[in-house]
């Protein structure tokens, strides 16, 4: 009944709405926007951030439409990425639908349906007890904390009864500041903000959604302590701005937090066993053992590293043609394993150190295939919610890949463009080789050694002789501004001048003579050609990214939208 009601509501809602804008024959509606940006976040943005957010949404929609129109979803790598992402989403959705959702109690689903479209601005007072999860040390027992909370509640109720509605929030805040042991009360005065269904523990949210505005709850127990809850006002939750046809699945998702993790884990294991067991899966152990031995030989004897690509290469080099396993009376060869290894992201391929690691990997592939087969049997991919999840992922993937395609499609500039930019750059003082100096140097590890060299020069008055005695040499030119004590000293000297000892940054010591200065001059075009070519390409790429939204708006006659 819930599905039918919302389906009717959805079509009535859809046909009563005007789209934000149209792309081809398809309208884009505000619920798509609020799935990307929750309404509660949108309402807090300033004008500039709202404009940027709208542009981001519009660009994603336009890029997706353009990429689809041009067939980019069929491009080799794009097609594979989209297929693999859809399969992974379908596996996740299958576990949710067939494992997790059946564990949810009917009463929890009914409560979620009743409250999913609402939210409440909530305040609380929190009192801790010995052993609670709230940070801090608490001396009261759980019972003592309960009685204290009850006493505080009575005082608040008494104060509220004599206060006008306009002052009730202030009254509760004063009690919160005086009584609450919540560490954040000094900053927020007990205000928790808007609380939507499914965002807090069950006992707390049940109390919030059963209270009316201006009412104080009885003490509510959670792992953090006892709460006294005060609801200030009611509003529409973010989910009320979603496409109504998705609310059935969204409602169930909000109930997942009520499930016990161990119960969920046990149900998942039972589900896996029902699909892949000794009755349904028969592995050809001799063949699997030969594959593992090949891995072991390459890793241990040849000292090669095991990873996705090496596993694939080793299996292919082994030339296996046998049946690897039988599943549900159907035989599969070793190439089936290679196929699934190729599909798996390299970062998710485990290290195979023992034969059971290979068995576990094979079983995980078989299980994935079994889950996908079951999803197909039960037609889970036809769900409106699932299709929408796939669509959101497709938009993200195609936006990234299409933008990358445009950027990488920029052709190299011709030589005349490079020459023109080179000439302009030289005129503006770019592509200039800075002034440099050529010097001869004696370098030592100690100050005592450099002083010996300096004294030898002073006594002999012949730097060439000193240079030879102390194993000095003429060095490659050093450019002005390259830094360091030696460089700074050199550019303050004249040709033929010999320095006094210089201490370098690395604690070595130098004695230099200036041989010549080389004045600044333009680099040759050949020297900077690749640099200029990259600069032109980068500017074009930046222009493509900067003007992508503007160009697509113009092409598809979309002005923008109001929301």
């Amino acid at each position: 009944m819930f599905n039918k009601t919302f389906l009717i509501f959805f079509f009535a809602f859809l046909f009563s709405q005007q789209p934000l804008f149209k792309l081809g024959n398809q309208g884009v509606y505000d619920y798509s926007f609020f799935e990307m940006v929750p309404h509660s976040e949108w309402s807090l943005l300033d004008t500039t951030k709202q404009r940027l957010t709208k542009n981001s949404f519009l660009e994603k929609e336009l890029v997706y439409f353009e990429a689809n129109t041009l067939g980019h979803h069929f491009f080799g790598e794009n097609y594979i990425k989209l297929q693999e992402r859809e399969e992974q989403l379908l596996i996740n959705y299958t576990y949710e639908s067939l494992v997790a959702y059946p564990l949810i109690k009917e009463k929890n689903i009914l409560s979620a349906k009743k409250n999913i479209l609402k939210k409440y601005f909530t305040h609380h007072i929190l009192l801790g007890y010995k052993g609670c999860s709230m940070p801090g040390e608490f001396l009261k027992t759980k019972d003592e904390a309960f009685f204290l909370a009850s006493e505080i509640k009575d005082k608040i109720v008494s104060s509220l009864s004599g206060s006008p509605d306009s002052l009730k929030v202030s009254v509760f805040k004063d009690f919160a500041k005086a009584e609450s042991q919540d560490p954040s009360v000094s900053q927020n005065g007990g205000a928790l903000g808007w609380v939507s269904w499914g965002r807090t523990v069950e006992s707390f949210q049940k109390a919030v959604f059963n209270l009316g505005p201006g009412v104080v709850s009885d003490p509510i127990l959670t792992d953090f302590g006892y709460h006294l809850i005060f609801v200030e006002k009611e509003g529409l939750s973010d989910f009320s701005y979603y496409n109504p046809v998705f609310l059935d699945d969204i409602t169930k998702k909000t109930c997942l937090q009520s499930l016990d993790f161990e119960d969920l884990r046990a149900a998942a294991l039972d589900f896996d066993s029902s699909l892949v067991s000794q009755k349904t899966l028969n592995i050809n152990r001799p063949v699997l053992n030969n594959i593992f031995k090949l891995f072991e030989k390459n890793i241990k004897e040849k000292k090669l590293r095991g990873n996705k690509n090496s596993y694939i290469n080793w299996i292919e080099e082994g030339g296996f043609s046998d049946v690897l396993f039988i599943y549900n009376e159907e035989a599969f060869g070793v190439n089936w394993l290679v196929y699934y290894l190729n599909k798996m992201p390299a970062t998710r391929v485990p290290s195979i150190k023992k034969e059971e690691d290979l068995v576990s990997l094979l079983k995980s592939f078989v299980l994935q295939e079994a889950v996908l087969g079951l999803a197909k049997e039960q037609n889970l991919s036809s769900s409106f919610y699932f299709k929408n999840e796939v669509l959101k992922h497709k938009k993200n993937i195609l936006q990234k890949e299409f933008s990358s395609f445009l950027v990488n499609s920029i052709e190299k500039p011709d030589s005349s463009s490079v020459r023109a930019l080179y000439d302009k750059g030289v005129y503006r003082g770019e592509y200039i080789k800075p002034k440099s100096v050529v010097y001869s140097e004696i370098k030592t590890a100690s100050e005592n050694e450099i002083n010996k060299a300096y004294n030898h020069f002073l006594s002999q008055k012949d730097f060439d002789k000193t240079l030879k005695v102390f194993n000095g040499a003429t060095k490659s030119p050093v450019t002005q501004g390259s830094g360091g004590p030696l460089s700074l000293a050199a550019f303050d000297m004249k040709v033929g001048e010999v320095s006094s000892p210089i201490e370098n940054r690395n604690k070595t010591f130098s004695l230099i003579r200036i041989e010549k200065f080389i004045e600044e001059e333009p680099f040759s075009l050949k020297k900077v050609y690749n640099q200029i070519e990259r600069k032109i390409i980068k500017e074009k790429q930046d222009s493509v990214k900067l003007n992508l939204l503007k160009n697509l708006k113009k092409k598809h006659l979309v002005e923008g939208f109001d929301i």
Side-chain angles (χ1 to χ4, degrees):
M1 181 62 187
F2 180 71
N3 287 339
K4 291 181 180 178
T5 301
F6 270 104
L7 197 57
I8 293 168
F9 178 41
F10 167 65
F11 286 113
F13 177 76
L14 182 61
F15 290 116
S16 68
Q17 269 204 325
Q18 291 295 318
L20 297 175
F21 53 90
K22 282 192 172 184
L23 292 173
N25 297 322
Q26 298 292 318
V28 178
Y29 294 86
D30 60 1
Y31 47 72
S32 294
F33 179 82
F34 287 123
E35 283 181 42
M36 184 186 86
V37 187
H39 187 273
S40 57
E41 294 180 16
W42 166 255
S43 61
L44 297 176
L45 299 179
D46 60 32
T47 304
T48 300
K49 288 181 179 178
Q50 284 191 346
R51 177 178 55 81
L52 293 173
T53 303
K54 284 166 62 177
N55 284 345
S56 176
F57 173 76
L58 182 55
E59 181 174 307
K60 180 175 286 188
E61 294 295 325
L62 284 166
V63 167
Y64 177 70
F65 181 77
E66 178 76 357
N68 265 331
T69 302
L70 298 176
H72 278 248
H73 53 307
F74 291 126
F75 283 17
E77 288 191 6
N78 292 350
Y79 182 80
I80 292 171
K81 283 182 181 178
L82 292 170
Q83 287 295 110
E84 289 179 351
R85 182 65 58 85
E86 184 169 350
E87 284 186 359
Q88 190 57 55
L89 290 170
L90 185 54
I91 289 171
N92 295 342
Y93 186 64
T94 303
Y95 274 93
E96 284 182 353
S97 300
L98 304 183
V99 179
Y101 291 167
L103 297 178
I104 302 171
K105 295 177 181 177
E106 183 63 25
K107 67 174 184 176
N108 290 343
I109 293 177
L110 292 174
S111 295
K113 288 176 180 178
K114 176 183 174 183
N115 296 304
I116 192 72
L117 302 180
K118 295 183 288 186
K119 65 178 180 180
Y120 292 95
F121 198 93
T122 306
H123 304 254
H124 83 147
I125 292 169
L126 177 59
L127 302 175
Y129 56 82
K130 288 180 182 178
C132 70
S133 297
M134 182 168 51
E137 187 175 343
F138 304 98
L139 301 178
K140 286 183 168 53
T141 64
K142 188 181 290 187
D143 287 342
E144 288 171 340
F146 172 79
F147 287 124
L148 177 59
S150 299
E151 289 176 1
I152 295 171
K153 181 206 170 175
D154 291 341
K155 293 177 184 177
I156 297 172
V157 170
S158 177
S159 296
L160 290 176
S161 63
S163 302
D165 290 346
S166 60
L167 294 179
K168 286 184 176 180
V169 174
S170 296
V171 170
F172 189 88
K173 279 188 173 182
D174 289 340
F175 274 98
K177 291 174 184 176
E179 305 289 354
S180 183
Q181 295 172 329
D182 186 337
S184 63
V185 71
S186 59
Q187 286 81 41
N188 59 28
L192 296 176
W194 288 105
V195 174
S196 298
W197 191 263
R199 301 298 172 87
T200 64
V201 296
E202 188 174 358
S203 59
F204 190 94
Q205 78 172 4
K206 185 178 179 181
V208 169
F209 280 78
N210 284 334
L211 284 175
V215 180
V216 181
S217 73
D218 290 329
I220 303 299
L221 178 64
T222 71
D223 290 342
F224 294 94
Y226 276 102
H227 305 255
L228 294 175
I229 302 168
F230 178 82
V231 170
E232 179 180 342
K233 55 189 173 181
E234 180 181 340
L236 294 174
S237 75
D238 288 336
F239 298 129
S240 67
Y241 296 90
Y242 281 30
N243 188 330
V245 80
F246 305 144
L247 287 179
D248 191 17
D249 277 278
I250 291 172
T251 298
K252 291 175 183 174
K253 272 185 171 291
T254 62
C255 294
L256 292 179
Q257 55 97 12
S258 68
L259 298 180
D260 180 79
F261 175 77
E262 289 303 321
D263 289 344
L264 190 58
R265 181 173 175 273
L269 290 174
D270 288 344
F271 178 75
D272 292 349
S273 297
S274 71
L275 293 176
V276 179
S277 65
Q278 289 183 344
K279 291 181 180 179
T280 57
L281 177 64
N282 183 14
I283 299 173
N284 188 341
R285 282 286 185 163
V287 173
L288 187 114
N289 180 258
N290 288 336
I291 295 172
F292 175 72
K293 284 182 177 178
L294 184 61
F295 288 2
E296 198 173 38
K297 180 179 179 181
N298 280 290
I299 293 170
K300 290 186 176 180
E301 295 181 15
K302 297 183 179 180
K303 306 298 182 184
L304 299 176
R305 187 176 179 183
N307 54 41
K308 171 184 172 175
N309 290 331
S310 57
Y311 295 150
I312 291 170
N313 290 336
W314 296 339
I315 292 173
E316 290 177 340
E317 289 169 4
F320 297 99
S321 58
D322 308 274
V323 170
L324 179 59
F325 65 94
I326 295 173
Y327 179 69
N328 284 342
E329 300 181 353
E330 185 177 354
F332 297 85
V334 176
N335 284 339
W336 187 93
L337 175 61
V338 173
Y339 170 76
Y340 268 89
L341 275 170
N342 270 310
K343 286 179 62 175
M344 195 176 202
T347 53
R348 292 180 57 199
V349 175
S351 177
I352 299 174
K353 296 180 180 179
K354 53 185 184 294
E355 189 171 333
E356 285 308 307
D357 294 336
L358 186 55
V359 172
S360 296
L361 181 63
L362 176 61
K363 284 183 177 179
S364 72
F365 290 154
V366 174
L367 181 60
Q368 286 180 41
E369 188 71 12
V371 172
L372 289 172
L374 186 58
K376 186 176 180 181
E377 283 178 21
Q378 302 211 9
N379 202 25
L380 294 179
S381 61
S382 66
S383 154
F384 285 115
Y385 179 83
F386 174 73
K387 286 181 177 179
N388 189 58
E389 288 299 296
V390 172
L391 179 61
K392 287 190 286 188
H393 282 263
K394 285 178 71 174
K395 287 177 180 178
N396 289 335
I397 290 172
L398 284 180
Q399 182 182 31
K400 179 182 177 181
E401 296 302 325
F402 183 73
S403 299
S404 178
F405 167 78
L406 292 179
V407 165
N408 293 326
S409 296
I410 301 296
E411 295 182 354
K412 286 186 176 183
D414 58 41
S415 58
S416 62
S417 299
V418 177
R419 162 61 77 173
L421 190 59
Y422 170 77
D423 291 340
K424 286 181 182 178
V426 170
Y427 179 76
R428 292 193 298 261
E430 300 171 6
Y431 314 122
I432 302 298
K433 185 189 300 183
K435 183 179 180 180
S436 58
V437 61
V438 179
Y439 61 91
S440 296
E441 178 188 26
I442 298 168
K443 192 170 187 178
T444 67
S446 70
E447 186 175 11
N448 185 50
E449 283 297 308
I450 204 67
N451 287 335
K452 285 182 181 178
Y454 188 51
N455 290 331
H456 183 277
F457 164 67
L458 292 177
S459 65
Q460 296 296 318
K461 307 295 184 184
D462 186 342
F463 190 77
D464 287 323
K465 185 180 290 186
T466 303
L467 197 68
K468 186 175 182 180
V469 170
F470 288 89
N471 299 315
T474 301
K475 301 295 182 178
S476 300
V478 172
T479 57
Q480 192 168 19
S482 59
L486 190 150
S487 173
L488 291 172
F491 283 97
D492 282 337
M493 296 167 64
K494 298 176 182 178
V495 174
E497 185 179 351
V498 176
S499 73
S500 56
I502 300 167
E503 183 177 357
N504 299 307
R505 286 176 177 170
N506 61 359
K507 303 303 181 183
T508 60
F509 297 85
S510 297
L511 191 66
I512 64 171
R513 180 181 67 191
I514 304 302
E515 303 300 338
K516 66 176 179 177
F517 289 102
I518 303 172
E519 296 303 318
E520 67 178 21
E521 61 179 350
F523 285 107
S524 68
L525 175 58
K526 182 179 180 181
K527 185 77 172 177
V528 296
Y529 190 95
N530 290 339
Q531 176 189 343
I532 296 172
E533 186 179 66
R534 288 193 299 271
K535 181 179 180 180
I536 293 173
I537 292 172
K538 177 69 165 52
E539 287 174 350
K540 288 182 178 180
Q541 289 174 333
D542 290 343
S543 177
V544 166
K545 289 186 281 189
L546 184 65
N547 294 300
L548 180 58
L549 176 59
K550 182 178 74 174
N551 292 337
L552 289 177
K553 284 171 67 175
K554 183 178 180 181
K555 179 176 180 179
H556 297 292
L557 305 176
V558 176
E559 293 296 326
F561 64 94
D562 295 317
I563 198 159

